Amino acid sequence: MNRRYLRQGAAALAGAILLPTFALAANEPQPFSYDALVERARSMANTAYQPPALPAPEVVQQIDYARHGELVFDTQRAPFSGQPDTEASEGYPLVFFPLGKYAPKGVHMFMVDQGEAVEIPYSADFFDMPADNPARQLPADAGFAGFRLQEWHTAEDWVKQDWVAFQGASYFRSIGADGQYGQSARGIAIDPAVAGKPEEFPDFTEFYIEQQDDATPDTPVIVHALLDGPSVTGAYRFKMTRGLDRTTPVVMDVEARIFLREDVDRLGLLPLTSMFWFGEYGAERLKDWRPEVHDSDGLAMWTGSGERLWRPLNNPDATRVSAFADENPKGFGLMQRDRNFDHYQDGVFYDRRPSVWVEPLKPLGKGSVQLLEIPTDDEIHDNIGAFWVPDGKASKGTEYDLHYRLHWQNLSPVPATNIAQTIATRIGRGGQPGHKRPENVYNFTVEFDRPEVMQQIPYGVFPEVKVSTSAGIVSRTFARPVPNGNVWRASFDLELEPDQVADLRMYMELEGKPLTETWLYQFKPEWAMGKVQ
């Protein structure tokens, strides 16, 4: 979008990007900058929280699931659609989500060009809808529920696939390299899983979207967002790059200035959220025909000291939070390492769900990566969270300055080259085959793979399995190769009473040096084996 369209007023802008002229007539360009948004968020933190208005609630409540499905965005009116009969710039077409019963909060959208912003008000003309749809009664200041950016590889395909979406509280997500949505990220997590205290979900209340007038598929899209909630305010800047083709990972550079207006018991920064019902282990696997169901299968961590950690996810019997203390971690992420369709057998393509790796671009200091696991009995619930919790009390008046990068892709963007990584965790009855299996003894067999590492093990040499546990007794540790020549299995038994929970730590070692990443696991018998042994 060329700057002159903003300067010439709303009518010219409407013509340039095919917006309803009447909808923008009262909205003159206003100065805008990230620094000004930061100062606005800081000022808001010193005032009492005002809940966001719910536009025309009597109308919005009528837009149920069925009526909401009737609202189809008119692609001819999408900003940056690059229609041949307009002077609109080429960029990623911008499509808006309408309000509805299950998305009732109005979010304000602004187009930004060279330091000036113009709001895009809601209009029924944006959507193809039946004449009797209640959305036609929404006022012009109702706002939208969110937005998404469409693919832009050919003039035909962009209407079929979006590559990033912001909708609901501070949630956003991307399709990654395989064109499939999965887990989400959030702007912030306030008091997740704090006993006796409900979690708070602050909202992105305003978005400021900027694209260059000479945009290409590898030109970043800049999105600014204003965050507001009872305990926090914030200003965010997202620099998002899709890449030149559909196989390119999506990269987002995020800057955030966060201001606490109230004390927070658990402050989750750089948060991710995902779903794990069951994998190749877990009692829940007996309840469904599919071998595995999950958007992510583990938490990967690269500590400040350089250690690589892998924690397979659990579907526990009660909400649990695990904390991994660290100082200036190099990164962490919720990963979908299992990319084999045969391991899922589902047409929703869990094998294509993106992993998300968080790379701090500014040191985080002391704190902990925390993993939240919530019990679920279905795949429709996001029951996994991962976030950074800084040391020290998150007190009213505290400010945070964050700069980090999100990588939406299949596997880690920074794989270790000198150690093997976990590819499977398998759990069963312990004891020696051919003998009566002892009660309360469980076998863990963990598979590691990285050909350039494992193929260097001399023939006839067996790595040492190093195991420790917080509860129970470890026995029968050994390593053995899988016949394909690349994968090695580390196996051990754990004797554990039914009411105990064991935090396990294991890796393989060769000649006194780590051969694999460190496998971590929290185990309670009924999670993996069911209540009937």
Side-chain angles (χ1 to χ4, degrees):
M1 178 171 53
N2 192 287
R3 188 180 186 186
R4 69 177 183 273
Y5 296 131
L6 284 173
R7 291 197 176 279
Q8 290 171 351
L13 177 63
I17 59 175
L18 289 176
L19 300 180
T21 303
F22 71 85
L24 288 173
N27 292 274
E28 294 296 328
Q30 300 293 326
F32 174 80
S33 70
Y34 177 59
D35 290 342
L37 193 66
V38 169
E39 291 307 312
R40 186 171 161 209
R42 177 183 283 114
S43 176
M44 289 167 55
N46 296 319
T47 64
Y49 173 67
Q50 298 294 325
L54 299 177
E58 70 287 350
V59 175
V60 171
Q61 289 303 304
Q62 298 177 50
I63 309 174
D64 58 16
Y65 185 83
R67 302 314 300 265
H68 196 267
E70 296 175 351
L71 306 178
V72 180
F73 192 89
D74 182 357
T75 55
Q76 297 298 311
R77 296 188 177 275
F80 303 106
S81 62
Q83 298 299 324
D85 59 345
T86 74
E87 298 181 34
S89 63
E90 289 190 1
Y92 290 105
L94 177 61
V95 171
F96 302 108
F97 292 109
L99 297 178
K101 182 176 181 178
Y102 303 106
K105 297 178 182 178
V107 180
H108 296 282
M109 303 290 173
F110 297 81
M111 302 291 291
V112 176
D113 184 59
Q114 299 188 43
E116 293 185 325
V118 165
E119 184 171 4
I120 305 175
Y122 167 82
S123 170
D125 290 347
F126 276 112
F127 301 92
D128 293 327
M129 67 176 78
D132 63 346
N133 192 288
R136 291 190 176 277
Q137 303 172 36
L138 291 172
D141 61 351
F144 300 92
F147 73 92
R148 55 188 175 181
L149 294 170
Q150 301 295 107
E151 293 279 32
W152 192 225
H153 298 291
T154 73
E156 292 78 26
D157 70 354
W158 73 262
V159 298
K160 303 175 183 177
Q161 177 69 65
D162 49 308
W163 63 275
V164 68
F166 286 73
Q167 184 182 27
S170 66
Y171 286 87
F172 59 98
R173 59 181 183 162
S174 177
I175 61 175
D178 274 349
Q180 183 72 41
Y181 279 121
Q183 65 174 294
S184 300
R186 298 165 64 180
I188 199 166
I190 300 293
D191 290 331
V194 173
K197 190 175 183 180
E199 183 174 356
E200 179 182 317
F201 294 89
D203 297 293
F204 284 143
T205 59
E206 297 176 8
F207 287 107
Y208 297 83
I209 303 163
E210 180 177 5
Q211 298 196 60
Q212 297 181 15
D213 56 3
D214 57 350
T216 64
D218 61 346
T219 301
V221 178
I222 307 299
V223 173
H224 297 88
L226 180 66
L227 181 83
D228 194 19
S231 301
V232 64
T233 65
Y236 288 71
R237 182 179 188 268
F238 299 88
K239 180 182 177 183
M240 306 183 296
T241 305
R242 175 65 183 104
L244 294 172
D245 58 65
R246 290 187 178 89
T247 63
T248 305
V250 173
V251 177
M252 301 180 182
D253 282 5
V254 185
E255 296 178 61
R257 297 292 299 277
I258 294 168
F259 308 93
L260 297 187
R261 56 161 45 114
E262 300 292 345
D263 294 350
V264 174
D265 291 326
R266 176 176 284 131
L267 179 66
L269 305 177
L270 293 63
L272 306 175
T273 183
S274 190
M275 180 276 293
F276 179 86
W277 189 11
F278 59 90
E280 67 267 15
Y281 54 92
E284 294 292 317
R285 71 188 188 278
L286 304 177
K287 299 180 180 179
D288 193 87
W289 63 270
R290 294 163 292 184
E292 303 181 38
V293 178
H294 49 77
D295 286 337
S296 306
D297 53 10
L299 169 65
M301 293 168 278
W302 189 9
T303 69
S305 64
E307 186 178 16
R308 300 284 187 146
L309 306 176
W310 175 254
R311 165 62 153 79
L313 299 178
N314 267 321
N315 182 4
D317 59 349
T319 297
R320 291 182 177 266
V321 178
S322 302
F324 307 92
D326 203 356
E327 182 173 0
N328 296 326
K330 294 178 173 63
F332 67 92
L334 289 174
M335 315 301 285
Q336 184 77 317
R337 280 186 175 174
D338 192 338
R339 319 299 301 184
N340 190 329
F341 173 81
D342 290 342
H343 294 176
Y344 303 94
Q345 292 291 327
D346 196 319
V348 299
F349 299 114
Y350 284 113
D351 56 301
R352 300 182 186 177
R353 304 294 168 104
S355 300
V356 182
W357 180 258
V358 181
E359 175 190 359
L361 300 179
K362 182 177 181 179
L364 293 174
K366 292 184 178 181
S368 60
V369 175
Q370 298 197 6
L371 174 66
L372 169 63
E373 296 169 304
I374 301 171
T376 186
D377 60 358
D378 205 339
E379 63 202 283
I380 63 172
H381 306 293
D382 278 350
N383 64 317
I384 301 296
F387 38 80
W388 174 256
V389 178
D391 275 0
K393 186 172 177 57
S395 304
K396 177 180 179 179
T398 306
E399 301 181 7
Y400 299 87
D401 186 359
L402 305 176
H403 192 188
Y404 58 99
R405 178 171 294 154
L406 299 177
H407 301 262
W408 303 75
Q409 58 188 79
N410 288 352
L411 301 175
S412 171
V414 285
T417 58
N418 60 340
I419 59 174
Q421 69 178 21
T422 311
I423 61 170
T425 297
R426 306 187 189 281
I427 306 172
R429 297 295 299 271
Q432 187 174 352
H435 294 73
K436 182 179 179 180
R437 298 299 178 101
E439 293 186 2
N440 303 326
V441 176
Y442 308 92
N443 175 259
F444 294 82
T445 296
V446 181
E447 297 178 357
F448 295 96
D449 185 22
R450 189 172 294 284
E452 59 269 33
V453 175
M454 309 309 277
Q455 289 177 355
Q456 295 179 14
I457 301 173
Y459 179 79
V461 174
F462 292 84
E464 186 176 358
V465 178
K466 310 290 284 188
V467 188
S468 63
T469 180
S470 64
I473 300 172
V474 173
S475 63
R476 298 184 70 246
T477 64
F478 60 92
R480 61 174 180 244
V482 176
N484 70 9
N486 295 334
V487 176
W488 276 72
R489 288 175 175 151
S491 183
F492 64 92
D493 280 1
L494 175 70
E495 183 178 353
L496 190 70
E497 295 302 317
D499 59 345
Q500 289 183 301
V501 177
D503 287 300
L504 298 164
R505 182 182 180 92
M506 183 271 290
Y507 64 95
M508 286 203 295
E509 181 180 277
L510 184 65
E511 297 180 348
K513 296 181 180 180
L515 187 67
T516 69
E517 66 186 358
T518 301
W519 172 89
L520 308 174
Y521 192 64
Q522 189 174 77
F523 176 71
K524 186 175 182 181
E526 68 182 56
W527 297 352
M529 310 296 291
K531 294 184 179 181
V532 179
Q533 302 298 309

